[in-house]
Amino acid sequence: MKRWNGWGDETVDFPLPAGARLFLEQRLGKSTPLPDASFDDVIALVPRSRFPDHPLIIKTPRDRILHARGQSLPDWLALRSGNLGVFPDGVAYPESPLQVRTLLTYVSDQKGIVIPYGGGTSVVGHINPQDADRPILTIDMGRMNRLLDIDQESNIATFGAGASGPDVESQLRAHGYTLGHYPQSFEFSTLGGWIATRSSGQQSLGYGRIEHLFAGGIMETPSGPLKIHDFPASAAGPDLREMVLGSEGRLGILTEVKMRASRLPPEESFRVFFSPHWDSGCRAVKEMVQSGIPLSMLRLSNASETETQLALAGHGRAIRLLEKWLAFRGAGTERCMAVMGITGTRRLHRTALKEAARIFRKEEAVNGGNLPGRKWVQNRFRAPYLRNSLWEQGYCVDTLETAINWDRVSPLMAAVESALGAAIIAQGEKVLVFSHLSHLYSQGSSIYTTYLFRAADTYAGTLSTWRRLKKAASETIVENGGTITHHHGVGTDHARYLVPEKGQLGIDAIKALCRQLDPVGMMNPGKLVV
Ligand SMILES: Cc1cc2nc3c(=O)[nH]c(=O)nc-3n(C[C@H](O)[C@H](O)[C@H](O)COP(=O)(O)OP(=O)(O)OC[C@H]3O[C@@H](n4cnc5c(N)ncnc54)[C@H](O)[C@@H]3O)c2cc1C
């Protein structure tokens, strides 16, 4: 079962390895965890539902609590403190597009609000109900999770939009296919959520981002069903897919989606290289994407992230030996770890690996061998479980991401890190901050920054520390010309930063689109554009 106030399946733990606590204490100071509220404490706070009884609407406190918050750090603080704020008045689990339509009509008649819900993994407040004098229905798409058709001639798979990562891959793999979309939230996030937030998977370099994988489908809107054809390409005016991508539940609910699947690759491998310092690593990965080496994944951690990852990896003795060996080979304390994935035929493997290794060698990087790459792929979806273990030790962790052209990548990364580092110095607190480039393009790259800090003495104090950090980083991104989000989306937390990015005319055009498909403003108000 899914944890109600943390990440992941209750039966899975990723304890902090020995030595990690000392590492954190040295960097941030000792910390004490805040007390957690119990599920029963929270049940007592759930108010009466404002919806009359309806056969498709569940009003139990349990369902309403489980759909009240996502996975952002403020969401965690709300869940752990028991102070959740607003709850949906009901939750529905439709099993067909007809039921979705019935629910939209019913909520419209009730002058209510609808929040489409996929896996609830949003990290920017997308699915949180906001205070309103209208009843709020969360529509959980999890039961519409089946592979409905696979066209093996065109490689198009039609799914219910509530299919989660494992639902998608297990059903496709049974036919010899894969979607190849692996966000770190893969275990729980869904096709509908990926499309509505413009998600990017770890292997988007090879398989493409979700906007490439989404071919078409059906969105039920308050104004009626919007059908988007799955043409391979079309010059028939603006693309309706682009309207739906990133719509964050504001326009309607995706019920069925057509996805561009790929045949399962004959081989896949992940390799790790260590560059002696950031500049050489950056030059190497840029050359690889710009010269079109057919990699399915490429990421480069900066020195601080490399150090932290090795410290949190466990296996202290083996890691110390590895560090000694790397230093001997020229990758000392400034070393930066790069992970690359190759997916395809044996021949493609040979060519891609040869070319990539040549570029790394030119930049004096050390080949880390196969084992670290295998470890990386084994743990790729386990890392978020560390958030639970860090919380239990009194440490908070959050991430943010942006993207910018190559000429500004390194300066923006440094500026964001230094803004975070400085944001809470005045209150005598330190921040452990590190970054990687995880989605690389010929034109530029995303920058993904993680920061850790100590929980304050109270929940309110911890939230205000987070607000200070988030504001400092977001303002730095905007001032330096980066996008406010490369793949997490806008939700509530980024909404105010969207205006400088899109311009007032752009924001007004998005609002006009919302009014066209949702004339009464019932779809997820308060998110994306406000
Ligand atoms: C630990 C962790 C790791 C993450 N890693 C990544 C990552 O690697 N890459 C990445 O892109 N993101 C990542 N995220 C962010 C998050 O997983 C994505 O935003 C994801 O796309 C959300 O999908 P979901 O199904 O959980 O949607 P939800 O969180 O349920 O909803 C997100 C938004 O989509 C809308 N929505 C959901 N389903 C539908 C539908 N059927 N029709 C219309 N609108 C809908 C909702 O209304 C909401 O506005 C991560 C999050 C966490 C917590």
Side-chain angles (χ1 to χ4, degrees), residues 303-374:
S304 170
E305 180 165 295
T306 304
E307 182 194 19
T308 308
Q309 283 198 341
L310 294 178
L312 299 187
H315 317 293
R317 218 172 93 78
I319 295 288
R320 275 194 299 281
L321 282 175
L322 173 71
E323 286 177 335
K324 265 194 186 155
W325 178 72
L326 289 171
F328 172 72
R329 300 280 313 273
T333 52
E334 288 304 302
R335 70 181 76 88
C336 293
M337 184 168 90
V339 186
M340 67 178 201
I342 309 176
T343 303
T345 59
R346 183 161 293 182
R347 197 155 136 213
L348 180 136
H349 258 77
R350 263 201 312 272
T351 321
L353 185 58
K354 194 168 147 211
E355 261 308 282
R358 183 189 64 75
I359 294 173
F360 273 130
R361 249 194 328 272
K362 188 174 70 164
E363 293 294 346
E364 297 176 346
V366 182
N367 187 340
N370 292 345
L371 186 64
R374 279 210 296 275

Side-chain angles (χ1 to χ4, degrees), residues 7 71 116-123 126-127 141 161 183-185 189-190 192-194 196-197 199-200 248-249 252-254 384 387 487-488 524:
W7 176 256
Q71 284 290 326
Y117 185 101
T121 65
S122 161
V123 283
H126 283 121
I127 49 94
M141 296 296 291
Q184 206 181 37
S185 56
S189 53
T190 64
W194 295 341
T197 60
S199 161
S200 205
E248 303 197 352
I253 303 190
L254 284 159
R387 296 167 90 197
H487 58 264
H488 285 165
N524 209 8

